[in-house]
Amino acid sequence: MDNYNKDYYAVIMAGGVGSRFWPVSTAAFPKQFHDMMGSGETLLQRTFKRLAHVVPRENILILTNQSYLDLVKEQLPNITTAQIILEPALRNTAPCILLSALKINKQNENAVMVVIPSDHWIQQQENFIKDIKKSFEEASRENILITLGIKPTTPNTGFGYIKYEKEEGKSFYRVDKFTEKPSLRNAKKFLEEGNYLWNAGIFIWKVSFIIDSFSKYQPEMLGLFEKGIEKLNSTEEEEFIEETYPETQNISVDYAVMEKSDAVRVKPASFDWNDLGTWGALYQELAKDKDENAVISAHLFPMGSKRNLIYTHKPKVVVVDGLDDYIIVDDMEVLMIVPKEKEQEIKEIRSKVMEKFGENLG
């Protein structure tokens, strides 16, 4: 695609473990590096390709954990090492976003950046491109912090919500407040009120303005990085980050900046979205057979079993007799059979299995 704006940058967050997708997603090989949907591309590869329609490829940075460097290089062989930002410690989203912004700002003071998770499922690519472009244009004009919100389709209790002020004739609305994962009762109420959106964790802003916002709301964190500002984008950067990063606060950008600022705007997204946070979320996106079973890799012989998700790491015949609404995952080291209603407990199950049978299973 021609006519790229050289001031546009993207940061893909690809450092999470995705423990609710255990046993396929492990600390050594998390879900963003898997082809979770059987589409022929991993979630990270799809996210990169999607952004490359709006942002110059050389301006797309990958934020990830040190231990995933080889996975990123293997899956995105055409990017340079300079495009990969490695976190030496797990510190949530605020420190890594600030570090990315400072690095980009040293390259280009006029930069506008989008921050996006690597592991979401979006199929309506044209609508996504349109929304990101509009947001880039709006953020270029004004000192605002834009987030994209998803129109809720169910009273989901697993997402954060954004309450916004409806204003006629506008595409970007003032944010009233961010709400953490609500009770089912409150989630139903939010849907009825009609001015709540799911928080997708997609942000667009001027790089200079997000740095100013950290200066205002998180001066200590900014101060830590500013001590070595001249080392960023140089051969001394790695050593400086190794020393400094673990000292930063473990806090999300939502808590650190977004919930404190009065410059936040939300744009309701026009594209489909699934955060693929659980096996159940994956089940919703997959094609189903006549018994509403969703299958990845396996050759299913269902024997009256319905509404199951069956995943095998390689093609094999799976016989399921008399099971309804189950998650059945056959990975190389672990076979897991869990009722769908317990999908939120998989993180806890993973911890208990690791405790009993060893860390290498997690």
Side-chain angles (χ1 to χ4, degrees):
M1 188 174 167
D2 299 318
N3 304 320
Y4 281 116
N5 188 321
K6 296 293 183 186
D7 292 338
Y8 290 175
Y9 287 75
V11 174
I12 300 175
M13 293 186 288
V17 175
S19 51
R20 285 187 179 84
F21 264 111
W22 184 82
V24 170
S25 181
T26 62
F29 202 146
K31 67 170 177 172
Q32 59 270 27
F33 301 111
H34 287 273
D35 176 9
M36 296 300 301
M37 299 290 293
S39 69
E41 292 177 304
T42 68
L43 295 174
L44 173 63
Q45 288 169 329
R46 283 182 68 92
T47 303
F48 186 93
K49 193 180 277 188
R50 203 182 300 127
L51 285 167
H53 288 278
V54 190
V55 176
R57 283 174 176 265
E58 65 273 17
N59 289 1
I60 302 176
L61 308 180
I62 312 297
L63 252 172
T64 193
N65 193 276
Q66 281 180 338
S67 52
Y68 305 144
L69 174 61
D70 290 342
L71 280 171
V72 172
K73 281 181 167 179
E74 182 187 321
Q75 295 196 3
L76 300 173
N78 296 321
I79 68 169
T80 65
T81 305
Q83 287 173 259
I84 306 169
I85 304 172
L86 298 175
E87 302 167 84
L90 293 171
R91 286 293 180 273
N92 216 311
T93 54
C96 61
I97 286 172
L98 176 57
L99 173 60
S100 308
L102 290 167
K103 280 173 62 64
I104 293 168
N105 194 56
K106 277 196 80 177
Q107 290 178 30
N108 183 348
E109 291 181 354
N110 299 316
V112 187
M113 68 191 275
V114 56
V115 179
I116 192 164
S118 59
D119 53 1
H120 292 176
W121 184 254
I122 294 165
Q123 286 181 288
Q124 294 168 335
Q125 185 165 282
E126 285 185 17
N127 286 4
F128 171 84
I129 292 165
K130 188 176 67 180
D131 284 357
I132 296 295
K133 277 185 171 177
K134 273 189 180 176
S135 300
F136 268 131
E137 288 161 9
E138 189 76 6
S140 300
R141 280 194 292 268
E142 282 192 74
N143 282 335
I144 52 175
L145 306 173
I146 295 171
T147 183
L148 296 186
I150 309 298
K151 292 166 190 168
T153 51
T154 59
N156 196 305
T157 57
F159 300 146
Y161 285 71
I162 302 166
K163 184 183 182 186
Y164 65 98
E165 296 174 16
K166 286 187 172 177
E167 296 168 85
E168 284 299 317
K170 293 207 172 182
S171 303
F172 297 85
Y173 303 118
R174 286 182 180 277
V175 170
D176 267 354
K177 66 173 179 178
F178 289 85
T179 302
E180 284 304 296
K181 296 172 183 177
S183 65
L184 181 60
R185 183 182 170 189
N186 281 341
K188 286 177 177 174
K189 193 173 145 212
F190 294 166
L191 256 70
E192 284 167 19
E193 289 182 21
N195 60 333
Y196 283 83
L197 300 165
W198 287 335
N199 187 352
I202 301 172
F203 309 108
I204 302 98
W205 43 52
K206 268 196 210 103
V207 169
S208 58
F209 187 60
I210 190 62
I211 294 170
D212 288 347
S213 300
F214 269 95
S215 175
K216 186 173 180 180
Y217 303 115
Q218 300 295 331
E220 195 176 318
M221 191 184 294
L222 180 60
L224 277 173
F225 286 123
E226 280 189 330
K227 278 190 272 184
I229 200 85
E230 73 287 344
K231 295 176 181 176
L232 297 184
N233 303 340
S234 80
T235 53
E236 296 176 78
E237 176 182 293
E238 191 177 337
E239 188 184 348
F240 168 67
I241 291 173
E242 281 275 358
E243 291 172 3
T244 307
Y245 204 87
E247 293 178 39
T248 61
Q249 190 182 353
N250 185 2
I251 186 172
S252 71
V253 75
D254 301 72
Y255 279 136
V257 174
M258 302 297 279
E259 293 186 11
K260 294 177 166 63
S261 174
D262 58 3
V264 181
R265 304 290 182 270
V266 65
K267 180 181 187 344
S270 65
F271 52 84
D272 66 314
W273 174 89
N274 190 319
D275 83 324
L276 289 190
T278 63
W279 286 107
L282 180 65
Y283 173 82
Q284 287 170 23
E285 293 294 327
L286 292 167
K288 319 286 191 297
D289 66 14
K290 63 181 177 58
D291 297 313
E292 294 183 67
N293 294 303
V295 181
I296 301 173
S297 294
H299 304 296
L300 178 64
F301 192 71
M303 297 185 70
S305 296
K306 295 174 182 172
R307 299 179 300 279
N308 298 298
L309 170 64
I310 298 98
Y311 176 104
T312 56
H313 72 278
K314 62 181 182 181
K316 63 166 67 175
V317 173
V318 177
V319 181
V320 184
D321 186 354
L323 282 187
D324 295 349
D325 296 297
Y326 267 75
I327 297 163
I328 301 165
V329 180
D330 175 40
D331 197 43
M332 285 178 285
E333 302 291 334
V334 178
L335 169 64
M336 182 184 74
I337 304 166
V338 174
K340 269 204 225 145
E341 64 190 26
K342 291 192 174 181
E343 66 168 10
Q344 294 293 346
E345 296 172 35
I346 288 173
K347 192 174 181 178
E348 196 181 325
I349 293 167
R350 168 182 175 263
S351 299
K352 288 176 180 174
V353 170
M354 286 163 63
E355 206 175 294
K356 185 172 176 65
F357 297 107
E359 293 286 320
N360 62 314
L361 293 177

